[in-house]
Amino acid sequence: PWQALLPYVLACGALMSALGSVPIMAKGLLEFPAILMVTLVEGCSVAASCVSADVVLGEIPDPPHATRIAYWASILLVLVGLYVIQSSRIQAIRRLEGWISSDSLVDAAEVDSS
């Protein structure tokens, strides 16, 4: 199996992906809770693995159309779930920032009036 080019390309890609994700994960863990980061990273990993299994490696040879549609619908469902998680987190951060800024404005007004 190591006489073809594909195993070397896949091994190199896996190594680059693993090493490249470490700084991104470290930065994300500084800014967001671990439960969010792990969920997003693992969800992206699952989606990427499913896409590469079908597109690159062709692990589903000649399936019925219903099977292929269900397979890609499940990948889409994972991606939609990741989007929902991320967008709800962004909305929570914006609400928190709005609460902090309005709260600090009240504190500043109280200081000015005294």
Side-chain angles (χ1 to χ4, degrees):
W2 288 95
Q3 295 175 351
L5 182 63
L6 183 62
Y8 292 103
V9 171
L10 292 176
C12 183
L15 184 64
M16 288 174 36
S17 174
L19 294 177
S21 66
V22 170
I24 296 169
M25 185 70 154
K27 184 174 187 222
L29 286 172
L30 291 174
E31 296 179 18
F32 299 104
I35 189 74
L36 175 72
M37 287 304 300
V38 170
T39 303
L40 290 176
V41 168
E42 289 303 314
C44 290
S45 175
V46 166
S49 296
C50 291
V51 170
S52 69
D54 189 26
V55 175
V56 177
L57 299 176
E59 291 188 0
I60 308 175
D62 299 327
H65 290 298
T67 302
R68 185 168 297 275
I69 290 170
Y71 182 81
W72 284 97
S74 65
I75 296 171
L76 182 64
L77 182 64
V78 170
L79 294 175
V80 167
L82 292 173
Y83 174 77
V84 168
I85 290 170
Q86 181 63 21
S87 63
S88 65
R89 179 65 185 168
I90 289 172
Q91 289 173 358
I93 290 171
R94 287 184 181 152
R95 271 188 257 126
L96 181 62
E97 287 174 349
W99 178 75
I100 291 172
S101 63
S102 66
D103 197 28
S104 61
L105 289 175
V106 170
D107 292 341
E110 289 174 5
V111 171
D112 290 340
S113 64
S114 2

